[in-house]
Amino acid sequence: MNATELIERWGEPAVLAMCGLAVGLGFGFFAQRSRFCLRAAVVEFWHGKFGEKLAVWLLAFATAVVVVQLMVVTGALDVSSARQLSAQGSLSGALMGGLIFGVGMVLTRGCASRLLVLSANGNLRALLSGLVFAVSAQAALGGALAPLRETIAGWWVVDGGPSRSLLALIGAGPMDGLAFGALWLSVAGFFAYYSGWGFWKWVGGVGTGLMVALAWAGTYRVMSHSFEPVQIQGLTFSGPSAEWLMRVLVEPDKPWTFGLGLMPGVFLGSLIGALVGRDWKLEGFGGAYTMPRYIAGAVLMGFGSMLAGGCAVGAGMTGGAIFAVTAWLTLVGMWVGGGLADRVFDGALKP
């Protein structure tokens, strides 16, 4: 059964949700098995160590860039209508949001995707942080924090189109993006090989990046065969977290979307990964100080992600794979903010 037949039978919302569920299952499983985590990679980098956590992140990121740009080069994917490239964006929001998010992910010991993965592994700290993250993200999107977000975002805006494409700004094209991704994929592979990685590190790192590319490909395919307007979108966690919060609290009949299917998919995929690896373990808070720290970090991540236009995966990997200039600014902010937070709070944040 092809995409057109699926849409005719089930409708666009259901097909998008099924696509999100499938991508989420893969992402959750691979991220859990590889221990994929931007915070851990940032900490290793700022401590001057090119270890396995940094290599895993780089392997996943480079895989996403290579596969996405390869699909663009071959005509299998057109990302020109993606929100990260076509809509007006905020450079100030991307940079400031990235900095704030970076501080938050160090406080919570994980970015938004990592919190969901850990929640499925029995980590109650991550579960609480994820819930606070969703509330903060919704507050920044359309609640009490929205005016502050809009003010910061309005400091420096950029129109959609070539102005939001990093490749266009430097006079490059998809082939150059493909070459860039291949270069860093080789670097990641080199360090991974000489680190003596096991099977799951390799498969998990590559698989995590593939899921980022698959999200773009899946929603693009639905858009191409849909009779109704459908927005191409990638893998992200800030928007879907806020969506699920509103669906549970006030909008139980909200139509299904890619993001609504993604979240339970990631949870189930991570749970399967934890059971396969015998990693499931119920964990709580270790001391009185840790709860305020996690809550503060989750609030910062929720606000920062909405200000930046996405989380570490949504803005960083998903937007980075299509070379959205705001996504790369967000990545810079996250690496700088996370590094500074690790230096400032290093001793106090040890569990």
Side-chain angles (χ1 to χ4, degrees), residues 29-120:
F29 181 81
F30 291 128
Q32 196 281 334
R33 298 309 302 146
S34 64
R35 305 297 191 269
F36 170 81
C37 179
L38 176 62
R39 181 204 67 87
V42 168
V43 170
E44 277 196 346
F45 174 80
W46 281 95
H47 283 265
K49 177 184 177 184
F50 202 121
E52 69 173 30
K53 296 179 178 62
L54 181 55
V56 165
W57 185 89
L58 187 57
L59 181 63
F61 178 74
T63 298
V65 173
V66 167
V67 177
V68 168
Q69 291 303 310
L70 183 61
M71 289 191 293
V72 173
V73 167
T74 59
L77 176 66
D78 181 3
V79 295
S80 60
S81 62
R83 170 184 59 83
Q84 293 92 332
L85 294 176
S86 62
Q88 186 183 69
S90 169
L91 300 181
S92 55
L95 185 56
M96 293 299 298
L99 286 167
I100 294 169
F101 187 97
V103 173
M105 73 178 181
V106 167
L107 292 173
T108 58
R109 300 185 64 80
C111 66
S113 64
R114 184 63 177 164
L115 294 180
L116 184 56
V117 168
L118 290 177
S119 296

Side-chain angles (χ1 to χ4, degrees), residues 210-224:
L210 284 175
M211 291 305 105
V212 173
L214 185 59
W216 280 123
T219 58
Y220 175 71
R221 188 167 179 81
V222 174
M223 183 190 75
S224 301

Side-chain angles (χ1 to χ4, degrees), residues 90 92-94 96-97 100 140 148-149 152-153 302-309:
S90 169
S92 55
M96 293 299 298
I100 294 169
L148 177 60
R149 174 185 61 81
I152 298 175
F303 178 77
S305 64
M306 284 301 177
L307 177 59

Side-chain angles (χ1 to χ4, degrees), residues 252-272:
D253 298 326
K254 181 181 177 66
W256 283 93
T257 64
F258 176 84
L260 287 175
L262 173 71
M263 299 293 283
V266 172
F267 188 92
L268 289 174
S270 177
L271 177 60
I272 293 170

